[in-house]
Amino acid sequence: MELWYSEMHTKNIKIGFRIKEEIGHVHSDYQDIHLFDTYDYGKLLVIDGTVQMTERDEFIYHEMIVHPPLLTHRNPRKILIIGGGDGGAAREVLKHDVDEVHLVEIDEEVVKIARKHLPSVASSYENPKLHLHIENGIEFVKKNKNFDVIIIDSTDPVGPAEGLFTEEFYMNVKKSLADGGIISQQCGTPFYHPEEVCKVRRSLSKSFENVKIYLAYIPTYPSGMWSFVMASDEEIKLRRPLNFKTRYFNEEIYHSSMILPNFIQEECKKY
Ligand code: AG3
């Protein structure tokens, strides 16, 4: 018998992975977590029915959520990751010369499953610069300050992570940044939901002088076209060279990823 896992991308469109086996399934206090082994994409992490990452294409997402903000900041020393319990964002941050990385994940079960089954993603949990806090990120930013870069690596803008996309949260995030600080956040598919991306941009503009949406191609996410955003009071520009090997991101992509197709530009004029 063939086993398949599929995620509905819209009411009428889905993506399907043929799977070898289910490696794990946990119903945590916060969400439903599945880990599958697939034929073509390696291990697949699913939370509440939505694909979070696969071993084959996670590098694109994690490089893109981390390297643009880190190379925009003048001298990033203290980094905060909100969400990102699989460890992929932390792995990329630790490729930079930073002093400390704080990872605030609400759901310990995500961390446990990643550490047990996704060693190539969760490797940085062994790094002494990484400090794990099992806590709600919304509360954490109210109490902890002075971060140079804050990376918000959450699930979709609709659902349990909704609170990480509000104007109030962005105000608190801004207060927990040091001078010259910058944030990045994943903000969904502009192909199916351009309005969500434009709303994130507008909400961030209330707290930050400069907000830039940028894009990457991620095969296993809805439509494959994915958006991220950076926000800062400093000008958003490449300030330092990339001095290690990457598989997707490069300095040209830093610039090209911020060039938006017309349909997104048009949509954002409405907001
Ligand atoms: N977090 C964002 C995944 C969003 C995918 N959405 C979907 N499949 N509907 C990824 C977490 C990786 N650290």
Side-chain angles (χ1 to χ4, degrees), residues 152-210:
I152 308 161
D153 177 12
S154 71
T155 51
D156 287 4
V158 282
E162 235 164 70
L164 301 175
F165 293 85
T166 64
E167 282 174 27
E168 192 193 342
F169 173 66
Y170 294 146
M171 265 157 48
N172 290 326
V173 162
K174 169 141 182 189
K175 287 189 212 143
S176 71
L177 282 173
D179 282 350
I182 181 163
I183 76 156
S184 70
Q185 182 174 32
Q186 74 90 6
C187 46
T189 165
F191 189 77
Y192 291 133
H193 294 295
E195 74 293 343
E196 278 173 19
V197 181
C198 301
K199 271 188 221 149
V200 166
R201 195 188 68 150
R202 186 197 50 189
S203 303
L204 279 167
S205 309
K206 304 243 158 98
S207 292
F208 294 92
E209 306 243 332
N210 302 298

Side-chain angles (χ1 to χ4, degrees), residues 13-260:
I13 299 285
K14 64 181 177 185
I15 187 173
F17 299 83
R18 195 175 153 217
I19 64 174
K20 294 182 184 168
E21 58 165 337
E22 180 176 67
I23 299 170
H25 176 207
V26 195
H27 195 84
S28 75
D29 291 346
Y30 300 96
Q31 49 206 359
D32 202 39
I33 309 162
H34 285 273
L35 190 72
F36 299 107
D37 195 10
T38 73
Y39 277 92
D40 287 3
Y41 273 86
K43 289 181 193 142
L44 159 66
L45 177 68
V46 175
I47 295 183
D48 287 342
T50 61
V51 169
Q52 295 303 307
M53 52 131 279
T54 75
E55 281 180 321
R56 183 165 170 192
D57 69 351
E58 57 83 12
F59 69 98
I60 307 173
Y61 177 92
H62 290 127
E63 288 184 8
M64 288 303 283
I65 202 167
V66 168
H67 303 320
L70 267 96
L71 297 179
T72 298
H73 195 280
R74 281 169 217 284
N75 181 23
R77 310 305 322 167
K78 189 174 162 187
I79 318 298
L80 171 63
I81 299 168
I82 297 177
D86 53 42
R91 178 195 65 205
E92 295 304 315
V93 168
L94 286 160
K95 292 180 180 170
H96 296 257
D97 171 28
V98 296
D99 296 330
E100 40 184 299
V101 184
H102 295 266
L103 193 156
V104 183
E105 166 63 57
I106 195 166
D107 194 345
E108 192 173 16
E109 296 301 330
V110 176
V111 177
K112 280 193 196 153
I113 221 167
R115 293 187 79 164
K116 187 154 177 213
H117 299 289
L118 297 166
S120 64
V121 186
S123 53
S124 32
Y125 280 114
E126 315 307 325
N127 190 312
K129 286 182 184 175
L130 183 66
H131 307 274
L132 172 65
H133 309 261
I134 299 296
E135 226 183 298
N136 182 334
I138 297 176
E139 298 307 318
F140 188 89
V141 291
K142 293 182 190 159
K143 301 178 304 216
N144 295 277
K145 309 261 173 257
N146 262 310
F147 296 102
D148 297 313
V149 182
I150 298 180
I151 293 162
I152 308 161
D153 177 12
S154 71
T155 51
D156 287 4
V158 282
E162 235 164 70
L164 301 175
F165 293 85
T166 64
E167 282 174 27
E168 192 193 342
F169 173 66
Y170 294 146
M171 265 157 48
N172 290 326
V173 162
K174 169 141 182 189
K175 287 189 212 143
S176 71
L177 282 173
D179 282 350
I182 181 163
I183 76 156
S184 70
Q185 182 174 32
Q186 74 90 6
C187 46
T189 165
F191 189 77
Y192 291 133
H193 294 295
E195 74 293 343
E196 278 173 19
V197 181
C198 301
K199 271 188 221 149
V200 166
R201 195 188 68 150
R202 186 197 50 189
S203 303
L204 279 167
S205 309
K206 304 243 158 98
S207 292
F208 294 92
E209 306 243 332
N210 302 298
V211 181
K212 282 269 184 207
I213 292 166
Y214 61 103
L215 306 174
Y217 174 69
I218 303 173
T220 59
Y221 287 174
S223 88
M225 183 190 237
W226 211 250
S227 68
F228 301 86
V229 66
M230 281 189 270
S232 176
D233 283 345
E234 297 283 312
E235 187 190 347
I236 294 175
K237 62 173 190 193
L238 188 64
R239 290 201 168 76
R240 282 165 319 99
L242 177 70
N243 56 13
F244 49 83
K245 221 168 149 291
T246 44
R247 288 177 67 205
Y248 183 91
F249 176 80
N250 56 43
E251 291 176 19
E252 288 75 28
I253 287 180
Y254 180 94
H255 303 290
S256 67
S257 65
M258 292 187 214
I259 300 171
L260 300 181

